Amino acid sequence: VVDLLFTSDGAENVAAAPAGTTGTVALAPTTANATNGALALTVPAGAAATFSAPSLVNNKSTTVGTLGAVTVNDGRVVSRNGWDLSANVANFVNSTDATSTISKIQLGLAPSVTVAGTSATGVTAAAAQVAGSASYPAAFASGAAANTVGDSVLNAGLTFVAPQEKAAGTYTSTLTLTVVSK
């Protein structure tokens, strides 16, 4: 126990505790060296983007949707290298006529970082790809070195614009995400 006394000018005086009222205990915890975990990408099993019903915009069939949440987990607590996530898209194929395809450049992709569930810092979404002039593979997001340990939950807005000469129907494709260390 330490009694604090203050002088009239506000200075602090520390009075010694009475004899027999204090004691000391030595502290010497042992620590272990941290080890790097893995850099991993989690996409839910059976993941499928959701799209709204198509509408005509400038007489072109246009539909919008969302990719759905994916997570980059960076467990590299020692090296903290950072990472880059890229997206690649296959050309779209008509589900009833495999000879009818639509180029992947027709898929617009607007990546975003989802605050809920994201514990990492230093994560930024890449610039959007514009439907009709998209270029794949494309950057999706990146994690800055020294900051990205933990989970980064990502999503993307999607816009698909079909050329006017293409037959109506369902066109299928796949989007492949790849995370690499910096």
Side-chain angles (χ1 to χ4, degrees):
V1 174
V2 175
D3 293 325
L4 298 178
L5 303 173
F6 295 92
T7 62
S8 61
D9 64 356
E12 182 179 319
N13 284 337
V14 178
T21 61
T22 64
T24 60
V25 177
L27 303 174
T30 303
T31 62
N33 286 331
T35 58
N36 270 340
L39 174 63
L41 174 67
T42 303
V43 176
T50 57
F51 285 95
S52 65
S55 61
L56 291 178
V57 176
N58 296 325
N59 211 26
K60 293 180 182 176
S61 179
T62 303
T63 184
V64 296
T66 57
L67 180 66
V70 299
T71 303
V72 173
N73 178 272
D74 192 349
R76 299 168 304 158
V77 297
V78 176
S79 61
R80 298 178 178 250
N81 304 70
W83 49 263
D84 290 313
L85 180 65
S86 63
N88 202 358
V89 179
N91 287 330
F92 291 80
V93 178
N94 187 299
S95 61
T96 59
D97 177 6
T99 64
S100 181
T101 63
I102 296 176
S103 174
K104 61 188 174 185
I105 70 170
Q106 297 304 124
L107 179 70
L109 177 73
S112 61
V113 178
T114 304
V115 174
T118 294
S119 58
T121 59
V123 178
T124 54
Q129 293 291 318
V130 177
S133 62
S135 177
Y136 295 102
F140 192 95
S142 65
N147 291 312
T148 58
V149 172
D151 289 337
S152 301
V153 180
L154 306 160
N155 205 332
L158 306 172
T159 304
F160 184 69
V161 179
Q164 293 168 329
E165 69 275 7
K166 293 298 180 176
T170 300
Y171 289 78
T172 61
S173 179
T174 55
L175 182 136
T176 303
L177 295 166
T178 305
V179 66
V180 295
S181 181
K182 288 187 177 185

